[in-house]
Amino acid sequence: MRRPLLAVLLAALALAPAAPAATTNTAPAQPVYDSQGRMIETPFAPPPERPRLTKEDATKFFLAAPKVTDWLDRYPPQPQTDATFKGGLWTVNVWSGRAGEIATGKVNDTTGEIVEAWTGPQVAWKMARGGPGAFGGRKINSYPVWLGFCALFLLGLADLRRPWSVRNLDLLVLLSFSVSLWFFNHGDIFTAMPLAYPPLLYLIGRAGWAAWRGRGTPVRPVWPVWVLTAATVFLLGFRIGLNARASNVIDVGYAGVIGADRIVHGSSPYGHFPTEGTLKPCGPADAAGEIRERIQTNGRCESANDRGDTYGPVAYLAYIPGFLVKGWSGKWDDLPAAHVTSVLWDLISIAGLYLVGRRFGGARLAATLAFAWAAYPFTQYVSSSNTNDAIMPALLVWGFWFASAPVARGAFSGLAGLTKFGALLVLPLWASYPEVRWPTVRRFVLGLLIACVASFWILLLEPNPLHAARLFWDRTLGWQIDRESPFSIWDWRQYHAAGIPDLHLVQRAFELALLVAAGVFAFLPRRKSPLQLAALTAILLLGFELVLTHWFYLYIPWFFPFTAFVVLAPAAAAPVAKPVEEETGERAVGEPVVAA
């Protein structure tokens, strides 16, 4: 008995030193290399508890960075500075009088190396700092995918027999927003934003020219209809796969899922979004050390999205089907409900364009418009960012298909305006189509009222609907009207001291011109064709984006369907087989796009 016991004791003593080594994950003291000489592990050195640099030295290193020096040269000398130390890094902040914080960044305490340096709008807006897919979309931002979409768009729609045609110029202008996006992705906001305005102005002029002439563009088709149709089907599969496997959901899509959750559970979205505030944290910190998940007033741990309740009610109602199918975990995770919703409205947009083309131009225009949406990179940018920006144009497209039915036209345009408020500008124009007739206007208003009831019923979910209505205004238009943003040329007043022009008064003049145009288009031209309705709609949507203080590339699909209709409609379209009759018995406008 003693020998076995002694053997057990000896074995335990022998294994005792090895046990910690087998269970403890310690970092190597020296670099570890594999058999091919590649370093696979690096030595770990914990950051020093006490800094090696002084606050003054860290600030001096940061201010000497070329990017920082170039920006600070625009301001008065000797700005205010401060520096704090944490985790081996110094965070340096720079202020200049009324301009506020003008630079920030991080300095490595051991080497004095500049780890980060942000200036101008990059200080307050992380999305202005550039990097791969600086805002969203993931794989769509890669050169092969983006340029592939551009190439297909041009190859499928260009007039290859006449390289110098207006149609080809139109297509290139539609793609030229890519140049602005490239500078945005590289963090150069002061170059990116001005580059967005020449194509906007060109497209306004192009749509105005089409409305004045009342005719489409002569073109000799290159590809058979079946080729465009097959290419569209292929692109649909590719777009869905790209969304499912290589996309992300930004705060806009996350807001839609939250809003759907609130409605399904019996409350209005407005004023009930998850916030951070002083609520109790309930999740891990992110890369910046911030905990966004808090215990909300409903007792659930949810990721914050403080300003997500700024859209129209339809922007949340549209997410209910996806929410019912996929649900929501309460976290800003992969959000499958947002993916489902994005793909669904992408398909609805393509289907609507196909029907519009079929009605106003026959099979060729139907295939052309559907292909145009499927191949245009900025529509995929919306899908890959999983935002709500395909909903409004989809509703307008379907309203355009019902152009000769005033009630349906009013309902769809109203729903579009209660998704993204910019679409409200088209209401006078659409109410007066094809010309100002009060019976038609009354029916249009009836459809508009139906849209309002179908949207604003969610305010009745609150105990006090009047308070809910005031909250709706405060959280949406009331906040958006005074919103500040560097993502346009209009709100750079805070950088005026740095030599950036203040164009605030010019913006006001354009806003006034836009409102005047929205009223004038209701009466001129006196009788409008479908092409003119599309062209004037495009002008109003383009004009709205022209004056926006906060503009972004996700908004391009708002005007794209109607601009595409203007650009791609042939000079002589096929007649509509059976135009809709209005309730009065008067023949509705069912003429072709232009007179043959």
Side-chain angles (χ1 to χ4, degrees):
M1 290 292 294
R2 292 181 179 179
R3 288 184 180 180
L5 179 61
L6 180 62
V8 170
L9 291 174
L10 290 174
L13 291 173
L15 291 174
T23 59
T24 303
N25 185 18
T26 58
Q30 300 294 331
V32 178
Y33 300 88
D34 63 11
S35 59
Q36 299 180 358
R38 296 175 297 193
M39 187 168 63
I40 58 176
E41 290 189 67
T42 57
F44 172 76
E49 296 181 1
R50 296 182 178 180
R52 301 173 63 179
L53 298 177
T54 65
K55 178 185 293 189
E56 291 74 18
D57 288 338
T59 302
K60 182 176 68 175
F61 285 140
F62 179 73
L63 296 180
K67 177 180 178 179
V68 178
T69 300
D70 178 68
W71 184 250
L72 296 187
D73 284 345
R74 304 165 183 255
Y75 291 88
Q78 298 180 340
Q80 280 185 285
T81 62
D82 189 26
T84 56
F85 176 77
K86 182 179 180 180
L89 295 175
W90 285 93
T91 299
V92 182
N93 305 94
V94 185
W95 296 270
S96 179
R98 295 181 179 180
E101 190 173 8
I102 58 176
T104 188
K106 297 184 183 297
V107 179
N108 187 300
D109 179 68
T110 303
T111 64
E113 178 186 4
I114 307 300
V115 178
E116 294 178 359
W118 310 117
T119 59
Q122 297 174 333
V123 174
W125 294 81
K126 292 183 179 180
M127 61 185 276
R129 297 178 179 181
F135 185 72
R138 291 188 181 170
K139 194 67 175 178
I140 184 63
N141 290 282
S142 67
Y143 288 130
V145 176
W146 190 274
L147 294 178
F149 272 100
C150 292
L152 282 173
F153 184 77
L154 275 178
L155 184 63
L157 301 174
D159 189 346
L160 302 180
R161 295 183 178 87
R162 298 188 304 161
W164 305 109
S165 66
V166 174
R167 176 170 179 152
N168 292 348
L169 176 61
D170 295 337
L171 298 176
L172 289 173
V173 170
L174 284 168
L175 292 175
S176 69
F177 290 102
S178 303
V179 179
S180 174
L181 179 61
W182 186 89
F183 280 100
F184 169 82
N185 284 337
H186 286 77
D188 190 349
I189 302 303
F190 292 118
T191 301
M193 292 301 106
L195 286 175
Y197 291 89
L200 287 175
L201 290 169
Y202 172 89
L203 293 172
I204 289 174
R206 178 67 177 86
W209 182 46
W212 177 265
R213 296 174 70 241
R215 294 189 302 165
T217 305
V219 64
R220 295 175 61 188
V222 175
W223 306 108
V225 170
W226 71 267
V227 171
L228 288 176
T229 304
T232 302
V233 172
F234 167 79
L235 284 168
L236 283 177
F238 184 79
R239 290 167 70 94
I240 294 172
L242 200 60
N243 181 289
R245 296 180 176 274
S247 71
N248 66 318
V249 182
I250 65 172
D251 57 345
V252 179
Y254 179 39
V257 176
I258 298 172
D261 171 86
R262 297 303 191 252
I263 296 170
V264 169
H265 288 94
S267 66
S268 163
Y270 304 106
H272 295 289
F273 264 51
T275 62
E276 292 184 28
T278 58
L279 299 177
K280 181 181 178 181
C282 58
D286 59 17
E290 181 182 6
I291 300 177
R292 295 186 58 87
E293 296 172 2
R294 304 297 176 95
I295 301 294
Q296 302 300 315
T297 55
N298 59 8
R300 191 182 187 195
C301 180
E302 295 177 345
S303 301
N305 190 356
D306 294 36
R307 295 300 325 187
D309 54 345
T310 189
Y311 307 105
V314 180
Y316 307 109
L317 291 166
Y319 279 78
I320 289 179
F323 173 81
L324 294 176
V325 172
K326 292 294 186 178
W328 176 44
S329 67
K331 310 297 177 61
W332 194 341
D333 49 22
D334 190 50
L335 294 169
H339 288 269
V340 170
T341 304
S342 295
V343 170
L344 175 63
W345 283 96
D346 194 50
L347 295 175
I348 291 173
S349 299
I350 292 175
L353 282 169
Y354 179 85
L355 293 175
V356 163
R358 187 85 183 181
R359 179 173 185 187
F360 296 114
R364 173 162 294 281
L365 185 58
T368 300
L369 291 177
F371 173 84
W373 179 280
Y376 193 47
F378 285 98
T379 59
Q380 183 58 41
Y381 189 62
V382 166
S383 178
S384 290
S385 300
N386 288 283
T387 72
N388 57 19
D389 292 285
I391 301 173
M392 183 266 273
L395 291 169
L396 285 179
V397 165
W398 280 84
F400 187 66
W401 184 53
F402 285 109
S404 57
V407 175
R409 193 170 70 241
F412 276 102
S413 58
L415 291 172
L418 295 175
T419 304
K420 298 285 186 175
F421 300 114
L424 296 175
L425 279 170
V426 309
L427 294 183
L429 168 65
W430 282 42
S432 63
Y433 177 79
E435 59 184 326
V436 178
R437 289 180 178 272
W438 295 117
T440 301
V441 173
R442 285 197 296 269
R443 292 182 179 84
F444 178 88
V445 172
L446 174 61
L448 186 60
L449 291 175
I450 292 172
C452 290
V453 171
S455 304
F456 284 118
W457 66 268
I458 62 174
L459 300 182
L460 300 177
L461 296 172
E462 296 298 308
N464 187 342
L466 289 178
H467 173 72
R470 287 194 298 270
L471 194 59
F472 163 77
W473 171 265
D474 292 339
R475 302 293 294 181
T476 57
L477 287 168
W479 178 71
Q480 292 185 28
I481 289 172
D482 296 324
R483 186 179 188 181
E484 296 181 351
S485 171
F487 300 107
S488 72
I489 62 174
W490 309 120
D491 196 29
W492 288 351
R493 285 170 289 178
Q494 59 184 308
Y495 311 114
H496 188 56
I500 306 298
D502 181 1
L503 301 175
H504 187 66
L505 293 178
V506 179
Q507 181 189 24
R508 291 290 178 261
F510 277 125
E511 288 173 346
L512 179 60
L514 179 62
L515 292 175
V516 171
V520 169
F521 289 170
F523 302 94
L524 294 176
R526 188 182 66 82
R527 185 172 180 85
K528 304 170 186 69
S529 69
L531 176 68
Q532 288 171 320
L533 178 63
L536 296 176
T537 300
I539 291 173
L540 292 175
L541 296 176
L542 285 160
F544 179 73
E545 297 198 23
L546 186 72
V547 303
L548 272 179
T549 297
H550 183 83
W551 180 86
F552 203 65
Y553 307 94
L554 295 169
Y555 306 162
I556 293 173
W558 295 2
F559 62 77
F560 176 73
F562 299 95
T563 305
F565 188 90
V566 170
V567 169
L568 301 173
V576 178
K578 294 181 179 180
V580 179
E581 303 292 335
E582 292 188 357
E583 295 176 14
T584 59
E586 178 182 338
R587 182 179 174 86
V589 172
E591 68 267 22
V593 175
V594 293

